[in-house]
Amino acid sequence: MGLAVFRILAVMAINAGFLFALTLHVQGGLGFTALRAGLTFAPTAVVFGAVGLTWRRWPAAWQRALTPLGFLITMPAVAGVGLAFEGGDRGGAVLYVAYVGVGAGLALAFSPTLTRALATVRPEDAADASGLLSTVAQLGQLLGVAVFGTLFLNRLESLGAPGRIPLRRRFWRACSRWPGRQRWVPCPDWY
């Protein structure tokens, strides 16, 4: 169960940190309302639920590889979300395709791991195992928001004193800066 605990922690940290930073971006940087921001993430939630409920119907030979496959799908999907927002764009269709990939990848990384971890537990230890895995999922979410949030917000702060550059521009610059890039992506005037 040790590896399963780490995987669940990682999936929940990625999920919570990703959603936290992205919510800050779409609401603070792009000016979306809370409702619009939530609806923007709907494809991720719908696909996460659909994949999480149907993966057991897939061929048994595939099921062992689903967790690593989930992490492999999540990586380019998260990169796709970043690319969809590059240049100040609101994402378009590419964004929603990437959100579908994030939902599918995280569901494949989480659901089979949780199921296999609980399937190996003896009935008399079920309550303890369930409590442990629930706690690990919540701890993963906490760590994800704390780590991603700290990195994200510190990056904003490093762009200058809060009064020198408007928050929207600081936010955009932090989001659009790729490692190794020598210059900033221009920020649109309307932003």
Side-chain angles (χ1 to χ4, degrees):
M1 188 187 287
L3 184 57
V5 167
F6 173 75
R7 286 177 176 165
I8 289 169
L9 182 88
V11 168
M12 290 292 105
I14 292 167
N15 186 38
F18 174 78
L19 289 176
F20 178 70
L22 217 52
T23 300
L24 289 176
H25 176 65
V26 298
Q27 286 186 297
L30 298 179
F32 288 13
T33 64
L35 176 62
R36 183 171 178 194
L39 291 175
T40 301
F41 302 133
T44 303
V46 169
V47 172
F48 186 97
V51 171
L53 292 172
T54 61
W55 70 270
R56 301 230 359 144
R57 297 182 192 138
W58 299 4
W62 296 4
Q63 291 184 8
R64 194 98 178 121
L66 291 180
T67 298
L69 179 65
F71 283 110
L72 289 174
I73 290 171
T74 302
M75 287 187 299
V78 168
V81 170
L83 290 173
F85 283 128
E86 187 175 23
D89 196 9
R90 292 180 181 257
V94 172
L95 177 65
Y96 294 101
V97 170
Y99 280 158
V100 166
V102 170
L106 290 175
L108 290 175
F110 179 76
S111 299
T113 302
L114 182 65
T115 300
R116 274 199 285 285
L118 290 176
T120 61
V121 173
R122 296 184 320 235
E124 58 269 14
D125 296 330
D128 295 333
S130 176
L132 171 68
L133 293 178
S134 294
T135 301
V136 166
Q138 291 176 16
L139 181 62
Q141 291 171 347
L142 171 80
L143 288 173
V145 169
V147 170
F148 283 80
T150 299
L151 293 173
F152 187 79
L153 296 172
N154 279 339
R155 180 71 182 139
L156 286 177
E157 192 61 37
S158 72
L159 294 174
R164 286 184 31 207
I165 302 173
L167 178 61
R168 292 185 311 210
R169 286 190 184 259
R170 288 187 296 133
F171 196 113
W172 167 243
R173 287 181 179 178
C175 292
S176 65
R177 179 88 168 142
W178 288 94
R181 184 181 273 176
Q182 297 301 314
R183 62 181 181 81
W184 294 107
V185 173
C187 187
D189 290 336
W190 52 266
Y191 197 79

